[in-house]
Amino acid sequence: MSEQLNKKMMDMLDESGVGTLATIRNSKPFSRFMLFFYEDLTIYAATNKNTHKVEDIETNPNVHILLGLDVKNANGEYFEIEAKASIDSSPESRQKFWDEKLRNWLSGPDDPNYILLKLEPEHIRYFSKAGEHPEELSI
């Protein structure tokens, strides 16, 4: 990935960190808003281990992530990311990516139900604005 495109994705994650994650359930897409974190090109999302999205990923690890655009900036930049998902329940990762915004769903980094979805991009499309042709990268 070009260093510039990598920086744009990290800047977007730093700015908002919120996007959508789509999994496949019963051969149909299912999307939900998530709070995302990152390390290099790997994206992480915290969740409760007893959720449908975990079941979905265990059945089919292919996911789709949308980052960017919001109601105030409907023509702005955004990312579409195809990724492979896996589960990371290591104490180190749980501590590293804990954020107090997660308290509505989890009690803390030691909550036994707290896990991370590790999302490794395979194809990234960056749109500088809605309707433009994307910059693309396959990993």
Side-chain angles (χ1 to χ4, degrees), residues 21-99:
L21 173 71
T23 58
I24 302 297
R25 182 178 312 148
N26 300 321
S27 301
K28 295 184 180 184
F30 191 90
S31 297
R32 74 279 288 156
F33 287 102
M34 301 290 293
L35 180 61
F36 293 108
F37 310 97
Y38 68 91
E39 180 174 65
D40 298 322
L41 289 180
T42 303
I43 300 169
Y44 293 85
T47 192
N48 186 303
K49 70 180 182 181
N50 301 308
T51 60
H52 289 297
K53 66 183 132 324
V54 172
E55 293 172 10
D56 298 347
I57 287 166
E58 287 171 343
T59 302
N60 183 342
N62 296 297
V63 299
H64 190 266
I65 301 162
L66 286 173
L67 299 172
L69 291 188
D70 60 38
V71 73
K72 296 175 189 170
N73 189 16
N75 292 315
E77 63 183 344
Y78 65 98
F79 281 89
E80 294 180 352
I81 303 166
E82 296 172 33
K84 283 275 192 229
S86 60
I87 306 301
D88 182 348
S89 58
S90 72
E92 298 81 18
S93 294
R94 291 163 25 128
Q95 195 67 40
K96 180 177 186 170
F97 294 111
W98 175 256
D99 187 298

Side-chain angles (χ1 to χ4, degrees), residues 101-121:
K101 294 175 190 166
L102 300 170
R103 285 244 181 242
N104 287 331
W105 301 276
L106 302 158
S107 63
D110 297 321
D111 185 321
N113 292 315
Y114 169 40
I115 62 169
L116 291 153
L117 304 177
K118 183 177 180 180
L119 311 165
E120 297 180 274

Side-chain angles (χ1 to χ4, degrees), residues 124-135:
I124 299 171
R125 283 179 292 285
Y126 168 74
F127 296 82
S128 60
K129 78 178 187 184
E132 293 287 322
H133 289 288
E135 291 179 53

